[in-house]
């Protein structure tokens, strides 16, 4: 979690256990690994864009992994 806190205001991809992916700007992550994204976009398993959202809250227990855009920590 602490590494994710360093990535606030960076673009991230969040893969869920149901294989849906969200991409957006990381606003906040809490101690339960709940993630708050802005400018979020949803993608299906094949990578096809499904929807565009403003703000999204993703519950930590649904997350499979988080990928930092460009793969570089600050």
């Amino acid at each position: 979690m602490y590494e994710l806190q360093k990535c606030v205001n960076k673009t991230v991809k969040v893969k869920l256990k149901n294989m849906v992916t969200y991409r957006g700007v990381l606003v906040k992550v809490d101690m339960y690994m709940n993630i708050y994204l802005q400018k979020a976009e949803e993608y299906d398993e094949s990578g096809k864009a499904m929807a565009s959202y403003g703000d999204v809250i993703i519950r930590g227990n649904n997350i499979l992994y988080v990928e930092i855009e460009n793969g570089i920590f600050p």
Side-chain angles (χ1 to χ4, degrees):
M1 179 186 82
Y2 297 109
E3 293 301 323
L4 279 178
Q5 288 176 335
K6 295 178 186 177
C7 297
V8 169
N9 297 321
K10 304 285 184 193
T11 302
V12 297
K13 289 182 185 176
V14 181
K15 182 82 162 203
L16 304 184
K17 292 177 183 175
N18 66 0
M19 297 304 148
V20 172
T21 301
Y22 286 88
R23 180 180 179 273
V25 178
L26 181 64
V27 176
K28 183 179 178 182
V29 61
D30 66 18
M31 64 186 208
Y32 299 105
M33 207 170 142
N34 297 320
I35 290 182
Y36 302 79
L37 298 178
Q38 284 183 338
K39 302 177 187 173
E41 300 169 334
E42 179 181 346
Y43 299 88
D44 65 8
E45 293 178 37
S46 65
K48 179 183 172 192
M50 298 284 292
S52 223
Y53 304 106
D55 298 337
V56 171
I57 300 171
I58 301 171
R59 191 170 170 176
N61 68 340
N62 293 319
I63 296 172
L64 188 59
Y65 65 84
V66 178
E67 180 181 337
I68 311 305
E69 285 269 309
N70 302 325
I72 300 172
F73 283 99

